[in-house]
Amino acid sequence: MSIHQTNTQRNILLIVLSYIVAKREAKNSKIRSFQAFPYGLLSLATYLKNHAEKKVNIKIMDCNLYDYEEYMEIIRQTLLNYKPDVVGLSMMFDNSYKHLKYITRIIKENNKETIVVLGGAATSSSNDIILNEQDDIDAICYLEGEIPFVRLINADDMLDFLENDMSWITKKSLKDTKIPRPLFIENLDEVIHIDYTFAEIEKYKMKEAFSPFINDSSENKRQFFLVTSRGCPYKCVFCSNAS
């Protein structure tokens, strides 16, 4: 019997894929990236903590806080020590894609039974391409992740759940031409309170160019976001969300 059928406790590792653009990689020297709190995974972790029926241990790792070799070693050690049942990867931007295959391979080599799922803004519209190219991803979440992830963690057999739930896309569901269905949180009051203790707060400088604190020299200042809406009412031609 699979461990995913018997466990009443889930160890969940949530990884923010690196999106930082180094100056040497940028075509325009004015391009720069900044380290922002991983608000999406913080919302997901908070919702899981509050709504999962099973006991959950949740850890968030943000690859953008470290150099490549450093975060790869941290991932290896975390997999060995934390022994996650589920690893969820967040890919918000296309330039994170180059890191995906190696990280997911390491996860599966550590434990082939670990369930690996992917979500984020850059995934839903390209789910078929990603699943065909990435052998070690079990499923992709379609659009919002809070409710689908809670349903996954609550399932006794998580692999079977992924194959049959309409909010998750798998290689099998692509062959079966299953049409995915998003699950949206209707009452945004449920996700307004974010548990920032999941983040390594001291590692985020949060001095973006648009910040009113950009010239503040204080090292202890932090900006904590309050998001009061979701989605976008516009239909820009360069954005896949409208489709």
Side-chain angles (χ1 to χ4, degrees):
M1 181 177 287
S2 167
I3 61 171
H4 302 306
Q5 292 177 306
T6 58
N7 279 359
T8 57
Q9 175 178 303
R10 308 290 197 209
N11 289 339
I12 304 163
L13 175 61
L14 302 175
I15 299 177
V16 187
L17 293 173
S18 177
Y19 56 78
I20 293 295
V21 179
K23 283 186 177 180
R24 65 180 179 272
E25 295 177 347
K27 294 180 181 178
N28 186 335
S29 60
K30 294 181 180 179
I31 294 177
R32 71 180 185 88
S33 298
F34 57 85
Q35 293 172 347
F37 280 116
Y39 193 90
L41 287 191
L42 286 170
S43 176
L44 180 63
T46 305
Y47 194 83
L48 271 171
K49 183 187 76 171
N50 293 335
H51 292 85
E53 295 173 1
K54 297 181 185 294
K55 183 179 179 181
V56 290
N57 292 322
I58 307 167
K59 184 185 292 292
I60 292 179
M61 183 194 165
D62 188 350
C63 293
N64 297 283
L65 298 176
Y66 311 95
D67 293 331
Y68 177 77
E69 293 297 333
E70 188 178 7
Y71 76 65
M72 290 305 301
E73 182 57 31
I74 293 173
I75 288 175
R76 290 189 186 94
Q77 291 302 316
T78 302
L79 291 170
L80 287 172
N81 299 328
Y82 189 60
K83 297 180 174 58
D85 299 293
V86 181
V87 177
L89 299 122
S90 174
M91 189 172 77
M92 295 300 296
F93 306 102
D94 292 344
N95 58 319
S96 300
Y97 190 65
K98 60 187 176 183
H99 305 292
L100 192 58
K101 184 179 287 290
Y102 191 41
I103 290 176
T104 54
R105 184 188 306 157
I106 288 174
I107 296 168
K108 288 293 189 178
E109 286 176 351
N110 179 74
N111 183 355
K112 65 180 180 179
E113 289 196 348
T114 301
I115 293 175
V116 179
V117 295
L118 179 68
T123 62
S124 290
S125 60
S126 303
N127 60 79
D128 53 343
I129 298 172
I130 295 172
L131 285 173
N132 285 325
E133 291 182 350
Q134 304 290 334
D135 296 331
D136 296 317
I137 293 178
D138 294 301
I140 289 176
C141 182
Y142 190 62
L143 299 180
E144 284 189 13
E146 284 91 348
I147 296 176
F149 218 108
V150 165
R151 285 159 56 92
L152 169 65
I153 297 305
N154 288 342
D156 290 327
D157 189 326
M158 291 188 286
L159 284 175
D160 182 68
F161 174 84
L162 288 172
E163 295 291 3
N164 294 285
D165 187 78
M166 298 303 291
S167 297
W168 292 94
I169 307 164
T170 64
K171 292 179 175 67
K172 181 178 180 296
S173 66
L174 285 178
K175 292 178 182 178
D176 296 342
T177 64
K178 180 178 77 175
I179 299 174
R181 177 173 57 86
L183 287 174
F184 297 117
I185 292 177
E186 299 292 338
N187 180 10
L188 293 184
D189 287 347
E190 295 181 11
V191 289
I192 204 70
H193 298 292
I194 300 298
D195 186 347
Y196 278 95
T197 62
F198 285 114
E200 298 178 84
I201 294 173
E202 69 282 356
K203 289 189 162 117
Y204 293 89
K205 301 297 184 185
M206 298 306 295
K207 290 191 176 182
E208 310 93 304
F210 56 80
S211 168
F213 304 107
I214 187 64
N215 295 318
D216 191 333
S217 60
S218 171
E219 288 295 319
N220 295 321
K221 279 240 172 117
R222 298 290 184 271
Q223 297 177 67
F224 297 90
F225 295 110
L226 179 67
V227 177
T228 58
S229 65
R230 283 192 171 192
C232 178
Y234 303 108
K235 296 182 179 180
C236 302
V237 296
F238 57 81
C239 182
S240 63
N241 284 338
S243 62

